[in-house]
Amino acid sequence: MCGITGIIRQDASISLDKYYQAHLTIKHRGPDDEGFVIKTRAGKMVPCRGKDTISELQNLPDIRSQSSTKMVLGHRRLSILDRTYQGHQPFYFEGLWLIYNGEVYNYIEIRGELQNQGYRFETKTDTEVVIKAYHCWGTDAFSKFNGMWGMAIYEEANDRLILSRDRFGIKPLYYCLNNTEFLFASEVKF
């Protein structure tokens, strides 16, 4: 099932302890792993772990040990296609950070197209195909996907967050924008 959450604020006032408690409301969506990336006041992206992060990544800083931030992206993982640590999210590739809930059924065909364009793959996940497809084709990649998804892609170079959901809304993606912040999640109770 998996689940994603995120908050962006203009200032660095997001309490990561409060965020983590809210993130735990979707724990049932992904019992196998959890991961986070925060954007510090200085603009540096820092991957973090939570209490349910897989053992191979326990060397990452604990998100609850960080004070506050201006952006945080979080993921709960239900491992299906690739049960190794290589499928951990947020998934990073050349300045792009991806958190993703769902499945792209035609990822093997898209992977072949990308390999023909020179892309190499380290995992067997559709997640890696999704981020590299976005790297190659930008938002046009979404029209190539056959599947169900809710995702967020953060572009470091442009300081831009892109949200995408499958055409039928099979995988939920809720969001709220107010005067001070933008929030999104796989469940409205976040």
Side-chain angles (χ1 to χ4, degrees):
M1 184 176 346
C2 296
I4 62 175
T5 60
I7 302 175
I8 298 174
R9 285 194 187 145
Q10 293 290 51
D11 61 11
S13 65
I14 301 167
S15 163
L16 290 171
D17 188 51
K18 287 181 182 176
Y19 162 79
Y20 187 71
Q21 293 307 311
H23 181 78
L24 287 176
T25 63
I26 67 162
K27 180 177 181 171
H28 62 281
R29 297 186 71 90
D32 297 326
D33 187 16
E34 70 179 339
F36 308 92
V37 65
I38 64 171
K39 185 174 184 179
T40 66
R41 289 186 171 131
K44 182 180 177 189
M45 301 297 286
V46 178
C48 295
R49 67 174 169 83
K51 64 181 182 176
D52 295 326
T53 300
I54 55 176
S55 59
E56 292 89 343
L57 298 172
Q58 287 299 309
N59 60 327
L60 294 174
D62 190 312
I63 190 166
R64 295 162 296 173
S65 70
Q66 310 298 306
S67 57
S68 63
T69 188
K70 61 190 318 181
M71 183 183 79
V72 58
L73 305 176
H75 183 262
R76 295 291 315 194
R77 181 177 181 209
L78 176 64
S79 301
I80 297 173
L81 293 177
D82 183 341
R83 300 184 56 84
T84 71
Y85 73 92
Q86 292 179 312
H88 176 80
Q89 293 181 41
F91 200 100
Y92 177 79
F93 179 71
E94 294 192 10
L96 301 173
W97 292 90
L98 169 67
I99 53 175
Y100 165 60
N101 168 31
E103 184 178 355
V104 172
Y105 306 133
N106 61 333
Y107 79 97
I108 293 172
E109 293 84 359
I110 295 171
R111 180 184 175 127
E113 281 186 62
L114 291 166
Q115 285 172 320
N116 289 339
Q117 294 196 36
Y119 285 86
R120 298 186 187 278
F121 291 85
E122 305 296 321
T123 75
K124 295 181 175 157
T125 66
D126 60 342
T127 306
E128 185 178 13
V129 172
V130 166
I131 198 167
K132 290 181 178 177
Y134 183 84
H135 182 267
C136 184
W137 299 301
T139 57
D140 289 341
F142 304 140
S143 65
K144 292 180 171 283
F145 299 159
N146 176 14
M148 55 183 180
W149 68 86
M151 70 177 74
I153 299 172
Y154 178 71
E155 300 175 356
E156 285 184 43
N158 301 318
D159 191 26
R160 180 168 76 162
L161 182 73
I162 303 292
L163 297 181
S164 176
R165 185 183 77 174
D166 64 84
R167 292 171 273 294
F168 296 106
I170 297 168
K171 289 297 181 180
L173 184 58
Y174 299 94
Y175 65 91
C176 174
L177 174 64
N178 62 38
N179 290 337
T180 60
E181 64 188 356
F182 179 74
L183 301 93
F184 66 91
S186 295
E187 294 189 12
V188 75
K189 66 184 175 183
F190 169 76

